[in-house]
Each structure stands twice: as C-alpha cells, then as structure tokens.
C-alpha cells in the first residue's frame, strides 16, 4: 500500500517536472491536480481545514498562509515561496520552486516515511526515502538562499534524521507511538519487580565477566531473543490499546536494549 | 559512552597542568567533582550473600535509563545497627555515585535512621542536575528496599521461632 503510494507520488512528481513552467504556479486548481496520493481520511480532514482567511496563529502558520492562496487550496497549505498548493502530506519541500517548507507540527515521523502509524513497519524503503529527503532538505543545499529558508532546512533536515533514527529502533519507535497516543511513559518511576531486576543484574554481571567475544555473542543471542519477545508483546498490547501493558513492555525493551548496547561496546 | 566520555574529559583534565585548568567548563558543566570522584573510586562495591539472615538486599531499577542498582546492608541483629554496606550498580555515572554515597551514609547508622535519608540530600551532596534526580531517587529507594528485605527475612525466620518483629514502617512498597 505505502509502496504503491510512493510509486504514484514519484510518478506524479515526474509528470509535474515535465510540465512547462508557464503553467505554474497559481493557475492550477485542485481539479487539475492528479487525484492521487491522499488517502480518503486526510482528504476529508484537509477540506475541513481549508482556511477562509489567513490563520492568525503562530509565526509558522502565518508563514504558511501569509500569502492568500487559500481560495484554491487543497487544505494542505501552500508553498511559502511560490504559493503553489501542497500536493501531498507531508509537504516538506515544494517540487515546483524547490524551496524547503517550514516545520509542520501535524506531520509525524511515519508520514515523513510514507508509513502507516503502527509498530510493525516495513523498513526496506526507509533508507532510500531518507536519502531522497536529504537530497532536498539538507542545509548545504540552501546556503545561497534566504536566512528564513536556511532555518527551515536546518529544522526539516534535523527532523528527518530524528524520524529515521526513531523509526528504525524498535524501542524508540514504541516510545514514539505512545507519545503520539498521548500516553505518558513515566520513566522516572522506580521499578522494583524483583524477578526482572535479578535477571537483569545477572545478565549484566555475565556481560561484565565475559572473557571473549564468543561468550558475549552467546549472551547477545539471548538478549536479542528477549528483546524480540517484548517487542511482540508491545505490538499486541498497543494494537489492543492496552497502554499499561505496552509501557511494561517498553520498560523490558529498555533493559534489554541497554544490555545489548553494552555488549556491542565490548565486542 | 558515558564512561568513555568521562575518561576522555578526565584524561584532558590530567593533561592540563594548572589546577584551575581542571575546572574546565566542560567538566564542571557536566558533573560535580564528587560525582567524578565516586565514579572513579566507588566506595563499597561488592556483594554480600543474599541468603545470609543478617543481610538485607535492595534491588531497584530505573526504566528511563535501564539502570539496575543493588544495595545491601549487613545488620547487627541485637542493636539494629548497620555494620556494613555494599552496592553494585549498572548505570550512568550519577546512579553509581548516588549508590556509592548511599552506602557510605548508611554505615554505622540505625535502620530507622537510614530510611529517612532523602534523595534530595544525596542529589544536593552530588550537585546532580534536574535530569539526574531520578538517580538519587533510585538510591533512596534502594536503601528502603534493603531495610524492608532485612525485616521481611527476620519476620520469616521469626515466624518459626515466634519472635516479635516490629513492623517495617516508612519502607518503600515493593
């Protein structure tokens, strides 16, 4: 599904690039836009968000809607530079005038990578998608442009890095999903589950005493097994919206991830 | 990473000959010298036999860092005085320093006395930054858990011999 979207959106991109410049940017209406990319839900919410007049909110909003192109807007906003209508979400970069767009709080990490918001993700296309974004957003590419756009590029590029790092790690991805759900993970709470702690203590001592790489690898094999187990447990709990269970799984994942990091340091 | 970082900073500190150079902003900004001292020379590292009836073991963890801390006390059964203490902590520098300080503070004190040790006192002693306050909290909880474990063991042993064990008050819940 997401792959198809990606393919379509890139085809769409190609089509747009081959258009003569003269038809751009403001003569376009939503009807002439290829009706792709958006899924149904975001299209609906997009329409409800069509601003009748420029939004007076944060500076960011003003930057997006400051120029009044909203009458033809698809609801996703317009390019701050050329005013073209955002073709899709996430709109981090205008393909028409090639300018980096301001930070948009409503875009989450999953959208940046065209993924569904879920714990189980297909990360095969992530690296190339990451590189694609950096080819457009990297601060080095805008060094001749305005201070404003340099700021956007710094922000957007950093955000894409953060998104990539977060989504690729099962633990960080799990914590991020919980954040998106608004469930607070109280990380400062002391855990006193004696069985878990005794096990962790034992493994950490074993890591400390492990004499050679094979011994470490053997421990790592076990630790990774536990990590997988609790990842699956998180996935199930999260799907059922059992957030307490999900948090318990995150805590377990944190412990096993730390041990794995320690092993990697020693290997 | 912290270990490497600290060592690097310390290594730099040693290369600089002047005493005031050691107060380089990078070092003082990161950790108070007492943290560094306890980190490099932790007091009372080790383990007691957890099955020894005079030993109380507190095992606690912080999910944020994936830290795990074990603090043990050895108690004189007649006086209720803590005659020895030790710890083993896998965690960040602040957690290690907090537990190291905790073992120093509980030694020679009565059990009722040590359960009133507050994390804020430990944090203040080590000048821990706000983000590291939970490390001192962990040490406070570890002391309480150790005392609780000692009482629980005594109660268990006492149940068979019929001895009267005072209830463990002011003690952290399991």
């Amino acid at each position: 599904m997401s792959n198809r979207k990606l393919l379509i959106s890139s085809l769409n991109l190609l089509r747009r690039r081959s258009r003569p410049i003269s038809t751009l940017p403001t003569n376009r209406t939503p009807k002439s836009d290829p009706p792709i990319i958006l899924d149904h839900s975001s299209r609906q919410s997009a329409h409800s968000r069509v601003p009748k007049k420029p939004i007076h909110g944060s500076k960011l909003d003003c930057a997006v809607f400051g120029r009044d192109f909203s009458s033809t807007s698809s609801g996703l906003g317009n390019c701050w530079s050329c005013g073209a209508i955002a073709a899709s979400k996430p709109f981090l970069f205008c393909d028409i005038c090639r300018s980096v767009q301001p930070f948009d709080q409503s875009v989450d990490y999953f959208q940046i990578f065209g993924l569904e918001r879920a714990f189980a993700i297909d990360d095969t296309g992530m690296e190339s998608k990451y590189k694609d974004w950096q080819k457009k957003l990297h601060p080095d590419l805008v060094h001749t442009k305005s201070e404003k756009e340099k700021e956007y590029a710094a922000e957007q590029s950093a955000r894409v890095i953060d998104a990539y790092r977060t989504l690729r790690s099962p633990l960080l991805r799990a914590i991020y999903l919980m954040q998106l759900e608004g469930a607070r993970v109280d990380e400062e709470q002391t855990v006193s589950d004696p069985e878990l702690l005794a096990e962790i203590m034992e493994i950490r001592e074993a890591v400390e005493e492990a004499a050679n790489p094979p011994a470490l690898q053997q421990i790592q094999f076990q630790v990774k097994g536990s990590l997988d187990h609790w990842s699956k447990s998180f996935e199930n709990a999260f799907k059922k919206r059992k957030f307490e269970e999900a948090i318990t799984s995150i805590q377990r994942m944190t412990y096993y991830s730390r041990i794995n990091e320690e092993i990697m340091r020693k290997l | 990473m912290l270990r490497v970082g600290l060592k690097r900073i310390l290594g730099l500190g040693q290369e600089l000959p002047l005493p005031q150079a050691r107060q380089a902003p990078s070092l003082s900004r990161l950790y108070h010298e007492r943290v560094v001292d306890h980190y490099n020379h932790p007091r009372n590292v080790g383990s007691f036999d957890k099955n020894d009836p005079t030993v109380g073991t507190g095992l606690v963890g912080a999910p944020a860092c994936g830290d795990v801390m074990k603090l043990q006390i050895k108690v004189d059964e007649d006086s209720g005085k803590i005659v020895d203490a030790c710890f083993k902590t896998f965690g960040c520098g602040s957690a290690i320093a907090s537990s190291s300080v905790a073992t120093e503070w509980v030694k020679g004190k009565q059990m009722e006395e040590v359960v009133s040790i507050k994390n804020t006192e430990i944090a203040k002693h080590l000048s821990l930054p706000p983000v590291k306050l939970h490390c001192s909290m962990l040490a406070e909880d570890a002391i309480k858990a150790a005392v609780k474990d000692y009482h629980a063991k005594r109660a268990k042993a006492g149940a068979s011999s019929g001895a009267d064990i005072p209830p463990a008050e002011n003690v952290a819940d399991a």
Side-chain angles (χ1 to χ4, degrees), chain B residues 9-26:
Chain B
I9 290 158
L10 288 173
L12 277 177
Q14 279 156 5
E15 276 165 28
L16 298 167
L18 300 170
Q20 65 264 34
R22 277 212 213 135
Q23 301 295 323
S26 62

Side-chain angles (χ1 to χ4, degrees), chain A:
Chain A
M1 179 69 187
S2 58
N3 277 343
R4 210 192 77 205
K5 271 194 206 167
L6 236 169
L7 180 69
I8 293 170
S9 68
S10 41
L11 283 174
N12 183 16
L13 229 167
L14 282 173
R15 271 185 62 181
R16 190 156 304 141
R17 279 195 188 146
S18 59
R19 283 185 193 178
I21 300 251
S22 59
T23 66
L24 302 173
T26 50
N27 298 337
R28 295 162 68 239
T29 65
K31 274 176 201 162
S32 70
D33 265 348
I36 323 170
I37 307 166
L38 289 174
D39 62 41
H40 196 62
S41 60
S42 67
R43 179 170 280 260
Q44 272 182 341
S45 66
H47 279 293
S48 65
R49 277 180 57 228
V50 171
K52 293 273 186 288
K53 53 185 176 183
I55 289 175
H56 298 290
S58 67
K59 274 184 177 173
L60 269 174
D61 286 335
C62 293
V64 175
F65 296 109
R67 293 168 66 174
D68 192 7
F69 291 100
S70 49
S71 53
T72 57
S73 169
S74 62
L76 291 167
N78 303 83
C79 170
W80 65 272
S81 176
C82 72
I85 302 151
S88 65
K89 198 167 184 178
F91 186 50
L92 310 187
F93 180 81
C94 177
D95 291 311
I96 292 152
C97 69
R98 308 199 68 74
S99 47
V100 180
Q101 300 300 306
F103 174 78
D104 177 0
Q105 187 70 54
S106 72
V107 171
D108 71 36
Y109 290 172
F110 292 93
Q111 289 169 329
I112 290 176
F113 284 96
L115 296 165
E116 264 183 72
R117 190 196 282 189
F119 182 72
I121 56 167
D122 173 16
D123 62 358
T124 43
M126 273 188 80
E127 193 179 344
S128 61
K129 185 88 183 152
Y130 168 75
K131 286 178 180 161
D132 284 349
W133 278 128
Q134 292 299 3
K135 277 177 203 160
K136 294 172 175 174
L137 304 172
H138 198 277
D140 285 355
L141 302 169
V142 294
H143 69 278
T144 55
K145 295 197 173 179
S146 68
E147 284 305 313
K148 188 163 79 171
E149 196 173 344
K150 279 186 207 168
E151 222 169 87
Y152 295 160
E155 254 174 357
Q156 296 283 28
S157 160
R159 191 140 191 272
V160 168
I161 293 173
D162 211 33
Y164 186 55
R165 197 179 59 95
T166 303
L167 295 188
R168 283 213 317 168
S169 149
L171 175 61
L172 296 179
R173 190 163 71 237
I175 293 172
Y176 182 68
L177 275 169
M178 293 297 280
Q179 277 173 1
L180 288 180
E181 289 296 333
R184 209 172 102 75
V185 184
D186 185 5
E187 294 185 313
E188 308 218 336
Q189 198 186 20
T190 302
V191 180
S192 48
D193 175 343
E195 253 175 61
L196 168 73
L197 293 170
E199 186 200 334
I200 299 299
M201 200 74 180
E202 207 176 287
I203 305 174
R204 300 219 54 164
E205 280 174 341
V207 171
E208 197 181 47
E209 287 157 14
N212 47 37
L216 281 170
Q217 276 154 356
Q218 204 184 345
I219 303 169
Q220 191 179 34
F221 182 73
Q222 288 173 355
V223 168
K224 281 188 170 166
S226 301
L227 201 50
D228 281 349
H229 170 82
W230 288 106
S231 297
K232 286 199 181 79
S233 155
F234 172 83
E235 190 185 345
N236 288 330
F238 186 77
K239 265 188 201 156
K240 293 177 193 152
R241 303 185 69 76
K242 290 183 179 169
F243 291 154
E244 291 229 338
E245 264 181 57
I247 288 171
T248 304
S249 306
I250 286 181
Q251 288 178 352
R252 298 308 189 265
M253 288 165 76
T254 307
Y255 275 111
Y256 293 114
S257 301
R258 283 289 175 277
I259 298 175
N260 193 34
E261 282 166 24
E262 184 64 29
I263 294 171
M264 298 294 277
R265 234 190 315 264
K266 287 192 80 179
L267 272 174

